[in-house]
Amino acid sequence: MTATIALVDDDRNILTSVSIALQTEGFLTRVYSDGESALKALIDNPPDLAVLDIKMPKLDGLELLRRLREKSAIPVIFLTSKDDELDEALGLAMGADDYIAKPFSQRLLIARIRAILRRTEVLQPSGEESGGETAPVLERGRLTMDPARHRVTWGGKNVTLTVTEFLILETLAQRPGIVKTRNQLMDAAYQDDIYVDDRTIDSHIKRVRRKFRQVDNEFDAIETLYGAGYRFSDE
C-alpha cells in the first residue's frame, strides 16, 4: 500500500516543495501549517509517518509531539534549526524517531522516511494476512514483546514504544547479559548506512527507561556499561 506522510511546518514553501517531492516518489501527503490544526488530524486519522517542524506558532513541534505521544506511536521525524542541539535532544527524549537539520536535502529526507517505513514494516503483522509466519513473542523475565502486534508489556502492564525504541529494546532483550555497543544498536534501528551519532541512541535509551519506570519505578533491566554500551538483564 502507498504510504501517507503528514508534513507540519509553518513555512509554506517547504510544505509545497517537500509535498511535491514526496508525491513524485509515490507517497501520499497531507500538509498542515501549524501544530494546532495538525494535532487532531494526526490522532484521528494517523498517517504512516509525520514530519514535524519544531518552531511553529500556536503549537510548536515539541508540544505537538508530547501530546501526540500520549495517544499515538506513529513514527516522527523532526526538522530542527541548524546546530540547535537542544531541540534535537529534547525531540529524541520525547519520542521522535529521527531528526534532520535545516536547511536539508530533500533526497536525504526521503531516504530517512523510507528507512523508517522499512523498520515499521518489520513490526507489522505477518501471519495469515500476508501468508507468512507470525513473528514469535519474546519473553524475558517480566518483559513481553510481541512484534506482530507492536505490543510491549512489563509485568503485564502495557508500555507504548515507538518503532525505533521497540527495535533497540528488542535487540537488547534477544540476548540478555550480552553487551550491545551503540553501533550495534544503530545497525538494528537505523538501516541503509544512515548516520546517527551516539547522542541519538543514548536519548532513545533514556526514553525507553522513562516509559518503563512509569509502570514500575524500580525498573533497572537496561544497564549502562560506560565506554562499552548497554545490556538487558532479565534477572
Side-chain angles (χ1 to χ4, degrees):
M1 294 179 63
T2 301
T4 298
I5 311 300
L7 305 172
V8 189
D9 198 308
D10 62 326
D11 187 327
R12 293 193 176 274
N13 290 329
I14 289 179
L15 285 180
T16 300
S17 61
V18 173
S19 181
I20 291 173
L22 287 170
Q23 290 171 18
T24 300
E25 293 293 321
F27 294 103
L28 299 176
T29 61
R30 301 178 198 150
V31 298
Y32 307 92
S33 58
D34 63 80
E36 192 172 77
S37 63
L39 179 60
K40 187 174 187 302
L42 293 178
I43 292 174
D44 292 347
N45 187 19
D48 295 289
L49 182 146
V51 179
L52 312 181
D53 185 30
I54 285 187
K55 296 179 178 175
M56 296 184 292
K58 297 184 180 179
L59 191 68
D60 67 30
L62 292 172
E63 180 63 15
L64 172 58
L65 178 63
R66 186 189 69 77
R67 297 190 191 181
L68 186 61
R69 282 291 176 255
E70 292 175 353
K71 298 184 178 180
S72 173
I74 63 170
V76 167
I77 295 176
F78 260 137
L79 300 180
T80 73
S81 300
K82 186 177 181 181
D83 299 326
D84 199 338
E85 295 184 0
L86 177 61
D87 282 350
E88 293 169 4
L90 279 173
L92 291 169
M94 294 171 67
D97 292 272
D98 206 346
Y99 64 86
I100 296 178
K102 293 181 178 180
F104 59 89
S105 158
Q106 290 184 358
R107 181 177 299 177
L108 174 62
L109 175 59
I110 291 171
R112 294 286 180 95
I113 288 172
R114 290 192 185 281
I116 291 177
L117 291 177
R118 277 192 287 272
R119 284 149 48 197
T120 305
E121 288 173 2
V122 172
L123 302 178
Q124 293 302 312
S126 57
E128 294 180 359
E129 294 179 3
S130 62
E133 296 183 359
T134 302
V137 173
L138 179 66
E139 296 184 348
R140 296 289 187 267
R142 301 178 67 188
L143 174 70
T144 300
M145 302 187 73
D146 185 347
R149 296 174 177 80
H150 190 70
R151 186 168 183 264
V152 179
T153 62
W154 178 259
K157 297 180 180 179
N158 289 329
V159 181
T160 302
L161 300 181
T162 67
V163 173
T164 306
E165 293 163 355
F166 190 103
L167 291 172
I168 289 173
L169 178 60
E170 184 181 41
T171 301
L172 291 169
Q174 283 173 340
R175 301 190 65 189
I178 302 299
V179 178
K180 294 290 184 179
T181 67
R182 289 175 177 82
N183 284 338
Q184 288 173 319
L185 295 176
M186 288 178 194
D187 289 343
Y190 293 87
Q191 302 170 7
D192 302 319
D193 296 323
I194 289 178
Y195 172 78
V196 294
D197 60 23
D198 289 353
R199 184 182 67 235
T200 302
I201 296 299
D202 293 341
S203 293
H204 286 310
I205 291 289
K206 289 177 182 177
R207 176 73 176 176
V208 171
R209 284 173 171 154
R210 187 178 303 119
K211 288 183 175 182
F212 276 87
R213 285 170 183 161
Q214 288 174 351
V215 301
D216 177 5
N217 58 16
E218 296 183 356
F219 174 83
D220 61 356
I222 300 176
E223 302 176 16
T224 301
L225 285 301
Y226 291 98
Y230 297 94
R231 70 182 173 196
F232 182 86
S233 173
D234 59 353
E235 296 179 356

